[in-house]
Amino acid sequence: MKRLHSSLFICFLLLARFVTATDIYVSPNGSDRNDGSKEKPFATLNMALRKAREFRRLNDATIKDGIHIILQGGNYPVLETIVIRPEDSGTHESSTFIEAAQNEQPVLSGGVQISNWKKLTAPVNGLPAKYQNKIWVADVPQVNGNDFNFRQLWVNDVKAVRAKSSNGDAMLRILNWNKAEAACVISTLPFSNLDKAKGLELFIHQWWEIANLRVKKVQVMGDSTKLFFHQPESKIQNEHPWPAPWISKETGNSAFYLTNAIQFLDEPGEWYLDINHKKIYYWPRNNENLVTAKVVAPFTETLISIAGTIDNPVKNVVIDGISFQHTGWLRPSLKGHVPHQVGLYMTEAYRLKPAGTKEKPGLDNQAWVGRQAAAVELSYAIRTRIKNCSFLHLAATGIDLKKGVQDNMTKNNLFSDIGGTAILAGNYGDEGREIHLPFDPKDEREKCDVIFIENNFITNAANEDWGTVGIGCGFVSRTSIRHNEIENVSYSGISLGWGWSPAQNIMKDNRIVANKIHHYGKWNYDCAGIYTLSAQQNSIIEDNYIDSIYKSPIAHLPSHWFYIYTDEGSSHITVKNNWTPSQKYLQNNNGPGNVWSNNGPQVHDSVKQNAGLEKRFHYLTANKTAKVGFINEEHNEVIELVVKEGMQLNLPKLKELLAKNNMDSNAIYHWQNHYVIFDKVQDIGVMQGRIANNFPEAEVSVYHDMFYEYSKKKHCTDKTVAKEWQHIILTANLVADEKLQKEYLSYHATQFEKWPEVSKGFCNADFQQLLIFRNGRQLMLVISIPKGESLDKLNPRTTENNPRVDEWNKIMKKYQEGIKGTKPGETWVFLKQMNNE
């Protein structure tokens, strides 16, 4: 009898679900003239939302337990943003679900397919003749009655490259930036008629950001060329102080390339759009057949906008299992793109002279910003859920929780091939408020509060705007960023905070816990696995695993990267129990109340094992992208003081300064008027400035270019290293011949492959480490040996039964000479450690 009652109860529940919940079906093969049933589905999400809205308006009894808009598998073109308004809200008991049919994958795509490709047969003006037989061409359709312009192209879901002046990942360096003329000076490039190219753009690397500048005029002056730019970006680029073009003899000027000219179409995978003639040209990769390939260009910038108002927010909406793909972002083609940080583009910016505002007396610049378009945007939305979705092949942001978003969960999603930030949340002052002001509105409804960002896998993000991040949160409160994995990003992994100020604001009770962040900083430095700004009362960074920052080939300061970086105004934050390979952290101009405890390689391995996606979401990592590039590690830095003739260095004062900056006061080495500091430095640029300010009698240089590293741990069979090391430091010059300098560097770049006997000799001698730094022509060689050993005793072992080392040393002699002050025939000179002076 009990079993019968149980069966009847289950039947009753199923009947209740049938009666009190409504299912509305959508199919790519449906029709908006249908009724939305499973047998007669609609064709568009818009029509399903309209029917759901009518159910809400009429208070239909069947929706008591919710409305389920079920999208069957297939592609849904979205050529106009789908807007979810307050009238589409569910209730606490009856949510509105937009979800995938079971075991099916619906795709909302903002892209337009380009077909009917043909091999190019006739010459095209500007296209290099030797490449014409490699190029295919297609007509570009109109979309919604308008000419179709775009900045991205995907061939079989692999992003193609907008034709550019440098091939592969290579970039050139600017010669100068002339602010008086608002011009960039570059070496003249070997492309004809660039002054006549329409739509030409400069892509330039600027510290922690990039900029896209539309070229107005090209002025060739022999070996150099001046580039002038359109407004509004020209004014912003030349008036704002940070970030700016980098000009440095030590680390090289800002890297750049030009893009969007048919002259640059010179390698497989590149494309060019001729807007005037409505033609697109493409050089297929080896594995691509354009007769059968799926070629997609993006049209729509935002696929879904959940758009409430402060008085009437959207409530109780769940998006589950949808794939969002192929969005565009055209603003850089119309107004340029000069971002300040995290991809937020400046609408106005300038330096303050004299510095200082009422709120921040030391402030020397002001800026106002906007934000990139996102595939899914939310404003004034309460109790929303975005889960089990994928965000693929997007030009800008994935999800943006812009303002007034409260009780949101963004969880269990995949983000891959994202041009900007994967997940952005919070207020950034993009509604006319200057970015350095704290945000603490009187109306609680304006806040982004109680946000859960959990178990998302983010890979290959920030691949267009290199200054964007994996997860970025501005002014948010009670936000939990937990158990996410972030890899292959161009800048920082997680950025939390805004305002650059310790003043009170809405930020409090935020949590960054158990995330796995690795392979970050591919291009931009001044970055970290986790980065913070401003006061964040009772916030915690805990149990995260941060590892493997890329060695950027164009970093403005190659050592200016960190695992954790609490930047200006960061206050009241607890940083504890985070695993990192070393304690390379920066606390820059922090406010009060921060607590650091037990962070670094000594943290228990369980933190590494538990960080990242929880086990049931590991399937998302099947979408990992390839790791490309070398990994950076923390190492001691070389700072040199060369005392001017007739002057003496105040050594006690230098030791005191080092101690104040948590450096070893005995890490000073000396030869004649040369003093070298070899130690770990928290912020080498800042330290260089402090030394220069305190010792005007010396010229202070930093050896940013560590171009060679031998390590016993990496290169020897016996990887045991001594507990304590002593360092022997020598210096010499490279010869003045630039061709010979390149040969010397090339020898060292390939030594481990072509001359393995050399490192074998170092292993035999028990060298723990050998580093070579360069500043201009001058070299610093650092040999680290076990403490108590003698170089005179160990060095002969490098050549024992190893004649190739003698051969190597003989070859190297032709590339080296002594520095100023050495005796005739003298090359390398030893610097003596000054620990007892």
Side-chain angles (χ1 to χ4, degrees):
M1 194 67 179
K2 287 181 181 178
R3 185 174 298 170
L4 177 62
H5 286 165
S6 176
S7 299
L8 288 172
F9 181 66
I10 291 170
C11 290
F12 175 77
L13 284 179
L14 290 173
L15 183 62
R17 164 72 174 85
F18 179 78
V19 171
T20 61
T22 295
D23 294 342
I24 303 171
Y25 285 87
V26 187
S27 168
N29 302 315
S31 168
D32 282 352
R33 288 191 286 267
N34 286 343
D35 60 9
S37 64
K38 189 172 185 178
E39 295 73 24
K40 294 183 177 181
F42 291 130
T44 66
L45 177 55
N46 266 329
M47 185 55 73
L49 283 166
R50 182 182 297 181
K51 182 166 184 177
R53 187 184 296 177
E54 288 303 296
F55 279 128
R56 298 282 183 201
R57 182 176 68 87
L58 299 172
N59 199 23
D60 194 290
T62 64
I63 66 170
K64 181 182 175 184
D65 290 339
I67 298 177
H68 293 256
I69 298 174
I70 301 170
L71 277 69
Q72 296 175 347
N75 189 70
Y76 296 85
V78 179
L79 300 183
E80 183 178 357
T81 300
I82 298 165
V83 182
I84 298 175
R85 305 188 188 279
E87 291 76 13
D88 302 310
S89 292
T91 66
H92 195 70
E93 298 78 18
S94 171
S95 295
T96 297
F97 296 85
I98 301 169
E99 59 192 9
Q102 189 171 7
N103 299 322
E104 296 189 34
Q105 182 60 85
V107 176
L108 298 185
S109 172
V112 173
Q113 193 157 343
I114 297 176
S115 53
N116 298 320
W117 289 87
K118 294 184 170 66
K119 195 82 177 285
L120 191 62
T121 55
V124 175
N125 188 34
L127 181 65
K130 61 182 177 179
Y131 300 132
Q132 290 193 0
N133 66 339
K134 307 285 187 183
I135 307 302
W136 288 63
V137 62
D139 293 323
V140 177
Q142 285 195 326
V143 182
N144 288 351
N146 298 309
D147 290 343
F148 186 17
N149 191 4
F150 48 88
R151 299 176 61 85
Q152 295 80 27
L153 188 75
W154 287 275
V155 180
N156 295 331
D157 284 334
V158 176
K159 185 183 282 187
V161 178
R162 202 174 184 217
K164 57 190 179 71
S165 58
S166 298
N167 286 344
D169 284 340
M171 298 180 76
L172 300 175
R173 303 279 184 158
I174 68 172
L175 297 179
N176 196 11
W177 193 280
N178 187 330
K179 284 207 168 189
E181 293 186 84
C184 177
V185 186
I186 63 173
S187 296
T188 297
L189 301 177
F191 300 98
S192 60
N193 300 319
L194 282 184
D195 57 329
K196 297 180 177 61
K198 303 292 185 185
L200 187 67
E201 293 181 15
L202 173 72
F203 177 98
I204 183 170
H205 177 253
Q206 304 193 130
W207 303 22
W208 59 85
E209 261 296 355
I210 56 91
N212 301 91
L213 307 170
R214 297 170 302 144
V215 177
K216 180 179 180 180
K217 178 182 174 184
V218 177
Q219 182 179 331
V220 180
M221 305 174 301
D223 291 341
S224 65
T225 295
K226 282 185 180 176
L227 305 174
F228 300 85
F229 308 101
H230 287 286
Q231 300 295 2
E233 65 264 39
S234 180
K235 184 174 186 291
I236 294 167
Q237 170 73 1
N238 286 283
E239 286 195 351
H240 84 281
W242 318 112
W246 182 255
I247 306 295
S248 170
K249 290 181 181 178
E250 291 82 12
T251 61
N253 297 346
S254 276
F256 81 95
Y257 58 75
L258 295 176
T259 186
N260 199 37
I262 198 167
Q263 291 93 321
F264 304 149
L265 188 49
D266 59 1
E267 67 174 338
E270 285 192 329
W271 62 275
Y272 171 73
L273 171 64
D274 183 342
I275 297 174
N276 293 332
H277 295 95
K278 303 179 179 59
K279 301 282 185 184
I280 181 170
Y281 300 91
Y282 180 62
W283 184 336
R285 300 178 177 102
N286 289 335
N287 60 346
E288 293 170 342
N289 180 354
L290 290 194
V291 175
T292 57
K294 182 181 78 171
V295 182
V296 177
F299 176 77
T300 310
E301 297 187 349
T302 298
L303 301 175
I304 288 183
S305 173
I306 299 180
T309 67
I310 194 168
D311 294 315
N312 195 8
V314 175
K315 296 181 179 179
N316 300 294
V317 171
V318 178
I319 299 175
D320 187 355
I322 311 299
S323 185
F324 299 94
Q325 299 187 20
H326 303 122
T327 59
W329 189 50
L330 206 54
R331 188 182 191 277
S333 293
L334 306 174
K335 296 184 178 182
H337 180 55
V338 188
H340 187 278
Q341 193 165 311
V342 198
L344 299 168
Y345 57 83
M346 288 177 275
T347 55
E348 183 181 358
Y350 56 88
R351 183 186 288 278
L352 296 172
K353 295 181 180 179
T357 63
K358 180 181 177 182
E359 296 83 8
K360 201 169 182 183
L363 186 68
D364 68 349
N365 71 101
Q366 290 190 303
W368 292 259
V369 297
R371 59 214 286 168
Q372 295 183 357
V376 175
E377 295 183 350
L378 291 81
S379 294
Y380 295 113
I382 297 175
R383 289 188 297 279
T384 50
R385 307 288 182 261
I386 302 170
K387 60 181 184 176
N388 306 314
C389 295
S390 63
F391 294 78
L392 309 173
H393 321 309
L394 309 180
T397 307
I399 295 175
D400 192 353
L401 314 177
K402 297 177 73 171
K403 55 186 175 182
V405 179
Q406 300 178 7
D407 188 5
N408 167 270
M409 286 188 180
T410 296
K411 62 179 187 177
N412 320 341
N413 301 293
L414 166 67
F415 296 83
S416 182
D417 187 11
I418 310 295
T421 294
I423 303 171
L424 194 68
N427 189 290
Y428 281 94
D430 48 306
E431 297 175 316
R433 194 183 73 257
E434 203 277 325
I435 62 171
H436 297 94
L437 295 176
F439 180 63
D440 198 6
K442 293 179 180 178
D443 194 331
E444 295 284 325
R445 297 175 298 172
E446 293 185 45
K447 296 181 178 180
C448 283
D449 184 39
V450 190
I451 293 169
F452 297 89
I453 300 171
E454 299 181 350
N455 283 297
N456 299 285
F457 181 58
I458 297 168
T459 182
N460 187 21
N463 63 27
E464 293 229 356
D465 182 342
W466 296 344
T468 52
V469 296
I471 298 172
C473 294
F475 287 108
V476 295
S477 57
R478 295 190 288 178
T479 289
S480 174
I481 303 171
R482 303 170 64 96
H483 284 292
N484 303 282
E485 181 174 348
I486 301 170
E487 66 164 22
N488 273 346
V489 292
S490 300
Y491 183 47
S492 294
I494 296 174
S495 176
L496 176 60
W498 200 244
W500 290 266
S501 170
Q504 179 182 336
N505 61 74
I506 74 161
M507 291 189 290
K508 65 177 181 180
D509 299 319
N510 295 317
R511 301 285 185 269
I512 303 177
V513 178
N515 299 282
K516 181 179 181 181
I517 303 162
H518 58 102
H519 294 87
Y520 63 99
K522 184 177 179 182
W523 294 108
N524 288 10
Y525 271 19
D526 196 23
C527 73
I530 297 174
Y531 171 91
T532 68
L533 280 171
S534 299
Q536 305 194 32
Q537 192 73 38
N538 195 35
S539 293
I540 293 176
I541 299 171
E542 181 179 21
D543 292 342
N544 299 285
Y545 168 31
I546 307 169
D547 197 1
S548 300
I549 180 169
Y550 281 114
K551 191 176 285 188
S552 168
I554 59 168
H556 61 293
L557 292 174
S559 295
H560 201 71
W561 58 267
F562 308 95
Y563 296 116
I564 302 174
Y565 182 173
T566 50
D567 203 2
E568 293 194 41
S570 292
S571 313
H572 308 294
I573 302 170
T574 296
V575 184
K576 65 178 182 178
N577 212 38
N578 299 284
W579 193 98
T580 57
S582 71
Q583 293 177 336
K584 189 163 173 43
Y585 313 132
L586 181 59
Q587 300 167 58
N588 178 50
N589 196 22
N590 286 185
N594 292 331
V595 177
W596 291 71
S597 171
N598 190 38
N599 301 287
Q602 78 285 353
V603 171
H604 197 274
D605 275 355
S606 61
V607 167
K608 285 202 283 187
Q609 294 159 7
N610 295 330
L613 302 175
E614 293 177 285
K615 191 172 182 179
R616 64 187 183 278
F617 303 113
H618 281 185
Y619 66 88
L620 291 170
T621 63
N623 300 278
K624 281 180 177 288
T625 48
K627 314 298 187 296
V628 180
F630 296 104
I631 299 302
N632 219 332
E633 295 177 356
E634 184 178 18
H635 57 75
N636 285 10
E637 306 287 352
V638 173
I639 305 174
E640 183 183 35
L641 294 81
V642 181
V643 179
K644 296 171 186 174
E645 191 174 342
M647 303 187 77
Q648 300 242 337
L649 185 72
N650 186 336
L651 194 59
K653 182 180 176 183
L654 178 58
K655 290 191 171 193
E656 183 183 357
L657 180 63
L658 294 182
K660 280 183 179 177
N661 286 274
N662 300 314
M663 295 174 66
D664 184 358
S665 59
N666 291 319
I668 304 171
Y669 300 76
H670 170 240
W671 180 82
Q672 292 190 5
N673 63 332
H674 292 255
Y675 295 82
V676 168
I677 302 162
F678 182 64
D679 197 15
K680 288 184 178 175
V681 188
Q682 189 180 56
D683 189 329
I684 196 167
V686 170
M687 194 63 198
Q688 181 182 14
R690 287 174 182 168
I691 294 173
N693 289 336
N694 280 275
F695 299 93
E697 69 273 22
E699 182 182 338
V700 183
S701 302
V702 170
Y703 283 67
H704 292 287
D705 185 7
M706 190 188 82
F707 64 89
Y708 177 82
E709 177 192 14
Y710 151 83
S711 163
K712 185 179 180 187
K713 236 185 225 185
K714 295 178 184 175
H715 300 112
C716 301
T717 307
D718 176 9
K719 301 185 182 301
T720 346
V721 294
K723 287 185 179 179
E724 293 185 85
W725 297 358
Q726 63 190 61
H727 308 297
I728 293 93
I729 299 183
L730 304 89
T731 188
N733 268 345
L734 284 174
V735 294
D737 188 314
E738 290 188 4
K739 182 182 176 185
L740 293 179
Q741 291 176 22
K742 288 179 182 176
E743 285 181 19
Y744 178 85
L745 296 173
S746 177
Y747 265 111
H748 284 81
T750 58
Q751 186 206 81
F752 295 108
E753 294 79 33
K754 296 183 178 180
W755 292 78
E757 299 85 356
V758 175
S759 56
K760 184 181 177 183
F762 298 156
C763 295
N764 292 340
D766 202 24
F767 289 178
Q768 307 294 293
Q769 184 174 264
L770 193 148
L771 309 174
I772 310 179
F773 297 82
R774 181 168 70 106
N775 179 31
R777 287 206 295 134
Q778 192 173 346
L779 305 174
M780 286 286 171
L781 169 62
V782 182
I783 304 171
S784 302
I785 62 175
K787 191 170 184 180
E789 285 286 3
S790 157
L791 184 62
D792 289 338
K793 173 186 169 185
L794 299 180
N795 196 46
R797 297 181 191 172
T798 61
T799 56
E800 283 178 9
N801 303 314
N802 198 348
R804 284 274 281 175
V805 176
D806 285 326
E807 186 182 348
W808 169 271
N809 291 336
K810 187 177 178 182
I811 292 170
M812 291 301 107
K813 283 182 181 178
K814 75 174 182 178
Y815 299 110
Q816 303 157 354
E817 63 186 24
I819 66 172
K820 183 180 178 182
T822 53
K823 299 171 186 175
E826 187 177 24
T827 304
W828 289 98
V829 293
F830 286 79
L831 291 95
K832 180 183 176 185
Q833 188 170 8
M834 304 189 69
N835 49 348
N836 295 316
E837 296 183 29

